């Protein structure tokens, strides 16, 4: 990744999506923070609910040319582990729901959307969108299980300080040799029997690993190993 001081940080009041804003206006190494997103995106077709001025909704533009395209899942690992390390300073043990949602217990506190632009075997640039529930106290969408730092701690959190903590931690984690194992050690329901759903229906199984390309490896009750790319399997919570 890059050093914390290298980011150009821009604050805007409103945009449809900070990821889309960076696609249109981003240059160099940049962070754009929005007080409100009118069409905040989650992964796939998901949307992200965020009350104006309450949460931390931002996107980062980086150029990880040292990471081969075949290893682009490393970006997910680094970002997810950095988020865990920052949040654990506030609320204790959190987990990563594959591939990159951050959970406190069975509730989602943070979502990540990473969009990489490839050129041959190189990642030209990566836009990392993060939505972190900070000071919102009520959620009115049909999202099944959101929670915020304010709800958990009973007090307001400084969003600017939280952003700076994350950027500093991201720099440290990106140079760590233990991120691969740290990501897997933080996996939601890792090694525990759980219920999943895929195109064939529900089944029970146990997460065994996340492979280097990001595929989730689950062993079902019959002992069969099942491998899933993103969006091919869901947790039943």
């Amino acid at each position: 990744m890059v050093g914390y001081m290298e980011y150009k940080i821009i604050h805007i009041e409103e945009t449809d999506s900070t990821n889309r804003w960076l696609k249109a206006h981003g240059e160099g190494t940049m962070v754009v923070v929005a007080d409100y997103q009118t069409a905040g995106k989650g992964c796939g077709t998901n949307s992200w609910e965020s009350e104006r001025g309450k949460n931390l909704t931002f996107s980062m533009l980086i150029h990880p040319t040292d990471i081969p395209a075949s290893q682009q899942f490393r970006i997910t690992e680094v970002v997810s582990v950095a988020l865990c390390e920052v949040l654990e300073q506030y609320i204790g043990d959190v987990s990563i729901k594959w591939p990159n949602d951050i959970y406190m217990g069975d509730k989602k506190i943070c979502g990540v959307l990473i969009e990489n632009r490839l050129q041959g075997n190189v990642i030209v640039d990566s836009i990392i969108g993060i939505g972190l529930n900070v000071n919102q106290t009520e959620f009115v969408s049909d999202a099944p299980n959101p929670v915020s730092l304010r709800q958990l701690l009973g007090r307001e959190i400084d969003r600017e300080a939280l952003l700076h903590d994350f950027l500093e931690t991201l720099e440290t984690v990106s140079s760590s040799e233990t991120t691969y194992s740290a990501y897997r050690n933080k996996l939601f329901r890792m090694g525990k029997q759980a219920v999943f759903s895929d195109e064939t229906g529900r089944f029970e199984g146990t997460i065994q690993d996340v492979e280097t390309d990001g595929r989730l490896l689950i062993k079902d009750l019959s002992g069969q190993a099942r491998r899933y790319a993103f969006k091919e399997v869901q947790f039943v919570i």
Side-chain angles (χ1 to χ4, degrees):
M1 301 287 181
V2 299
Y4 161 65
M5 297 302 294
E6 295 178 45
Y7 289 103
K8 179 180 180 181
I9 301 177
I10 295 175
H11 291 81
I12 57 178
E13 289 188 7
E14 182 176 310
T15 185
D16 58 349
S17 157
T18 53
N19 269 33
R20 284 200 284 265
W21 191 96
L22 275 181
K23 287 178 183 178
H25 308 290
E27 57 183 20
T29 302
M30 182 179 286
V31 176
V32 58
V33 186
D35 282 338
Y36 185 63
Q37 292 185 103
T38 58
K41 289 181 62 182
C43 294
T45 59
N46 297 341
S47 61
W48 181 262
E49 176 191 355
S50 183
E51 187 178 344
R52 184 183 297 272
K54 292 293 186 180
N55 300 317
L56 190 52
T57 51
F58 67 101
S59 294
M60 309 166 56
L61 173 63
I62 61 172
H63 309 277
T65 53
D66 58 328
I67 300 178
S70 60
Q71 299 178 27
Q72 59 187 290
F73 191 71
R74 284 169 53 191
I75 300 171
T76 294
E77 293 172 344
V78 168
V79 171
S80 300
V81 170
L83 284 166
C84 285
E85 290 192 5
V86 170
L87 289 172
E88 285 175 349
Q89 298 174 25
Y90 292 86
I91 54 176
D93 194 36
V94 296
S95 59
I96 303 164
K97 179 173 164 287
W98 177 84
N100 52 21
D101 285 339
I102 310 300
Y103 267 52
M104 177 62 182
D106 284 339
K107 293 185 177 293
K108 181 176 177 178
I109 195 167
C110 183
V112 180
L113 174 63
I114 299 176
E115 299 176 279
N116 297 320
R117 186 165 65 91
L118 310 179
Q119 190 172 79
N121 296 322
V122 176
I123 303 173
V124 178
D125 52 50
S126 180
I127 295 178
I128 303 163
I130 296 175
L132 176 56
N133 296 331
V134 182
N135 292 320
Q136 189 163 337
T137 57
E138 295 183 5
F139 294 88
V140 297
S141 74
D142 58 0
N145 54 347
V147 71
S148 71
L149 286 172
R150 172 70 185 274
Q151 289 176 319
L152 293 167
L153 296 172
R155 60 181 174 86
E156 290 266 336
I157 302 297
D158 185 326
R159 293 180 297 149
E160 189 76 14
L162 189 60
L163 173 64
H164 289 179
D165 286 348
F166 169 72
L167 294 176
E168 288 182 335
T169 303
L170 185 68
E171 181 182 359
T172 302
V173 170
S174 65
S175 61
S176 171
E177 297 181 357
T178 63
T179 304
Y180 175 92
S181 57
Y183 175 89
R184 284 148 185 82
N185 290 339
K186 284 293 177 186
L187 270 182
F188 180 71
R189 296 184 178 175
M190 177 69 166
K192 299 178 181 179
Q193 188 169 312
V195 181
F196 303 89
S197 175
D198 64 11
E199 61 180 5
T200 66
R202 292 190 176 192
F203 68 95
E204 293 185 45
T206 305
I207 295 175
Q208 302 294 302
D209 196 8
V210 177
E211 298 177 335
T212 55
D213 64 356
R215 289 180 183 268
L216 186 67
L217 176 61
I218 301 174
K219 182 183 287 186
D220 65 23
L221 293 185
S222 71
Q224 177 185 352
R226 304 188 183 200
R227 289 175 171 82
Y228 294 98
F230 180 54
K231 284 293 184 182
E232 291 180 351
V233 67
Q234 290 81 39
F235 290 86
V236 178
I237 299 176

